């Protein structure tokens, strides 16, 4: 019976199971893959760019020139006036020339990198300024068209004085018809008298 049970257990085992009874470990989809090993070291371009800008900004100051001049003078005086056993760079100062060449070889790429970053910022600022200018021009043209349309519309609008005078003329005409069809000349004289009696302050207020 025991061998039969062992055979049944072996049949129930999955095909991908190992001898230890565990399945091979597969990467999970809900977890990011661990970073692999790279031969080339990684660095942050933004951090390196900011550092290069700081160095280039320091190289372009008078403080750097003063300090470099002091170091060179001390170097030369020490290797000329110091005892021979304490000198580390005899004439013609080959080590000093090497150090200055090394400093120049590193300073030039750093300055170029800082200039490239500044050019990129200037390009972005110019693009933003151009887009803003386009929006301002479009808004100005729209407001100009709106103001022109308002002026045209106001030129066709009837004023209160004109409407009041027309209403008064109509009222006088109706009164004249109700009173027995007065002559047209009397009607015109009445309208002229009423307009003359109206105070000028009222017209100014209406305007």
């Amino acid at each position: 019976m025991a061998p039969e049970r062992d055979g049944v257990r072996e049949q129930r085992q999955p095909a991908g199971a190992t001898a230890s009874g565990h399945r091979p470990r597969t990467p999970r989809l809900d977890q990011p893959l661990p970073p692999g090993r790279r031969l080339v070291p990684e660095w942050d371009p933004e951090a390196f760019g900011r550092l290069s800008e700081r160095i280039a900004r320091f190289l372009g100051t008078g403080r750097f020139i003063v300090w470099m001049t002091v170091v060179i003078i001390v170097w030369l005086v020490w290797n000329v006036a110091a005892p021979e056993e304490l000198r580390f760079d005899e004439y013609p100062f080959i080590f000093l020339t090497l150090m200055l060449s090394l400093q120049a070889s590193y300073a030039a790429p750093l300055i170029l990198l800082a200039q490239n970053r500044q050019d990129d910022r200037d390009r972005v600022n110019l693009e933003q300024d151009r887009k803003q200018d386009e929006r301002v021009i479009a808004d100005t043209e729209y407001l100009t068209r709106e103001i022109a349309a308002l002026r045209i519309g106001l030129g066709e609008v009837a004023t209160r004085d004109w409407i009041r005078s027309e209403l008064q003329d109509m009222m006088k005409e109706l009164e004249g018809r109700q009173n027995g069809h007065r002559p047209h000349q009397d009607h015109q004289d009445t309208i002229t008298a009423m307009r003359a009696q109206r105070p000028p302050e009222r017209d100014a207020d209406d305007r």
Side-chain angles (χ1 to χ4, degrees), residues 94-158:
I94 299 176
F95 187 50
L96 177 60
T97 305
L98 178 62
M99 294 298 295
L100 293 177
S101 301
L102 185 63
Q103 181 265 333
S105 63
Y106 273 96
L110 292 175
I111 293 173
L112 290 176
L113 180 59
Q115 289 179 352
N116 292 333
R117 286 174 58 85
Q118 185 63 37
D119 292 339
D120 294 338
R121 285 196 295 267
D122 294 341
R123 190 179 301 107
V124 172
N125 293 332
L126 289 175
E127 184 67 19
Q128 292 179 354
D129 293 340
R130 185 183 64 81
K131 293 181 179 179
Q132 186 176 2
D133 292 340
E134 290 179 355
R135 290 194 297 268
V136 170
I137 292 173
D139 294 340
T140 304
E141 292 178 353
Y142 173 76
L143 292 176
T144 303
R145 290 193 297 269
E146 291 295 322
I147 292 173
L150 289 175
R151 294 181 62 181
I152 294 173
L154 289 175
E156 297 177 355
V157 173

Side-chain angles (χ1 to χ4, degrees), residues 72-82 87 93:
I72 292 174
I73 291 174
V74 172
W75 188 300
L76 296 176
V77 171
W78 180 267
N79 289 281
V80 171
R87 299 176 186 176
F93 311 110

Side-chain angles (χ1 to χ4, degrees), residues 29 32 65 67 78 98 140 185 200 206:
L29 297 178
I65 297 175
W67 280 108
W78 180 267
L98 178 62
T140 304
Q185 185 64 32
D206 295 336

